[in-house]
């Protein structure tokens, strides 16, 4: 019963403080799409809210960073913390589907996210945006966030933006697809006995 309870409440939290950022983050895999986000990067707040809603997660982030320099450290470190909590929340990964591939259209843009919860961190990113910024947010930080998330979560993550004209739409498609793909890959499949690998461990 204790193991079943643990599966139903797959969650973790982390506090990470450096000379550049001070972050407290809590993540629940089996949530209801609720996010409480307090960062100094409004566009990232918007993307994390979409990720949480479409993945049916619960996410709480309280982050302060050296945005007087730029948003880089804050975005990067939130990605690190999110990856760490996902990895901890999933534990030994028993019963999960493991793989997922999701396409999400966002008006004229089409994004695809493919995930393997493999314990082998790898990241592939294929995206070319029409503009270097969305408001004050630098689009290159999307790649930085996703790479650090994949690295710390120890997952294989492929992100492809097939096409689009509006940079906001293209990035929004990525985060919606990420939420939906991660939701599917972490879902418990009653047909899966133990860990979904012939190696017997992930």
């Amino acid at each position: 019963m204790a193991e079943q309870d643990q599966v139903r409440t797959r969650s973790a939290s982390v506090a990470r403080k450096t000379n550049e950022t001070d972050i407290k983050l809590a993540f629940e895999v089996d949530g209801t799409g609720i996010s409480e986000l307090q960062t100094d990067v409004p566009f990232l707040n918007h993307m994390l809210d979409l990720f949480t809603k479409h993945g049916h997660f619960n996410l709480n982030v309280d982050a302060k960073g050296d945005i007087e320099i730029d948003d880089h450290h804050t975005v990067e470190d939130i990605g690190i913390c999110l990856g760490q909590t996902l990895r901890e929340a999933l534990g030994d990964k028993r019963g999960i589907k493991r793989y997922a591939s999701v396409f999400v259209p966002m008006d004229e843009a089409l994004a695809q996210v493919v995930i393997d919860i493999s314990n082998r961190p790898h990241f592939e990113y294929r995206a070319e945006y029409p503009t270097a910024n969305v408001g004050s947010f630098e689009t290159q930080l999307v790649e930085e966030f996703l790479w650090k998330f994949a690295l710390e979560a120890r997952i294989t993550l492929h992100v492809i933006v097939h096409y689009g004209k509006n940079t906001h739409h293209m990035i929004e498609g990525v985060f919606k697809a990420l939420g939906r793909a991660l939701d599917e890959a972490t879902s418990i499949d009653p047909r899966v006995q133990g860990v979904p690998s012939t190696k017997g461990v992930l």
Side-chain angles (χ1 to χ4, degrees):
M1 180 64 71
E3 183 175 348
Q4 291 176 346
D5 290 343
Q6 185 177 2
V7 169
R8 285 198 301 271
T9 59
R10 295 177 296 174
S11 62
S13 61
V14 65
R16 186 176 194 272
K17 186 172 184 178
T18 72
N19 290 334
E20 299 165 341
T21 62
D22 185 357
I23 298 170
K24 297 178 181 65
L25 186 148
F27 181 67
E28 185 175 354
V29 176
D30 306 303
T32 56
I34 297 173
S35 62
E36 295 183 12
L37 308 169
Q38 297 182 32
T39 85
D40 296 321
V41 188
F43 186 75
L44 182 62
N45 288 346
H46 179 38
M47 294 301 108
L48 290 176
D49 184 47
L50 295 169
F51 161 78
T52 305
K53 185 70 173 179
H54 285 266
H56 306 288
F57 310 126
N58 289 340
L59 176 63
N60 188 299
V61 181
D62 184 359
K64 299 177 179 63
D66 54 357
I67 61 166
E68 69 278 4
I69 298 174
D70 64 13
D71 295 340
H72 183 103
H73 296 140
T74 302
V75 174
E76 178 183 36
D77 287 5
I78 291 173
I80 289 171
C81 291
L82 183 61
Q84 289 175 347
T85 55
L86 173 63
R87 183 182 179 191
E88 182 180 343
L90 291 178
D92 62 10
K93 306 174 185 66
R94 287 181 178 272
I96 66 169
K97 289 185 176 181
R98 178 178 167 178
Y99 294 97
S101 177
V102 171
F103 287 87
V104 165
M106 178 62 202
D107 294 352
E108 86 299 338
L110 182 65
Q112 180 184 15
V113 171
V114 184
I115 289 176
D116 175 13
I117 301 178
S118 59
N119 202 35
R120 295 189 307 276
H122 187 85
F123 181 53
E124 294 290 338
Y125 188 65
R126 304 288 185 269
E128 295 184 8
Y129 300 113
T131 61
N133 293 77
V134 179
S136 62
F137 184 86
E138 298 178 14
T139 58
Q140 65 179 351
L141 294 180
V142 176
E143 181 174 7
E144 193 68 32
F145 174 88
L146 294 170
W147 163 228
K148 294 303 164 53
F149 168 66
L151 180 65
E152 294 295 333
R154 297 192 62 83
I155 63 174
T156 295
L157 178 63
H158 291 243
V159 175
I160 306 164
V161 180
H162 291 279
Y163 46 78
K165 297 178 181 178
N166 182 291
T167 302
H168 186 133
H169 290 171
M170 295 163 78
I171 298 172
E172 183 168 329
V174 167
F175 277 84
K176 287 179 177 178
L178 178 64
R180 288 179 173 269
L182 190 60
D183 177 45
E184 182 178 340
T186 58
S187 294
I188 300 297
D189 187 337
R191 299 171 299 175
V192 176
Q193 300 297 314
V195 175
S197 171
T198 54
K199 297 177 182 179
V201 66
L202 283 173

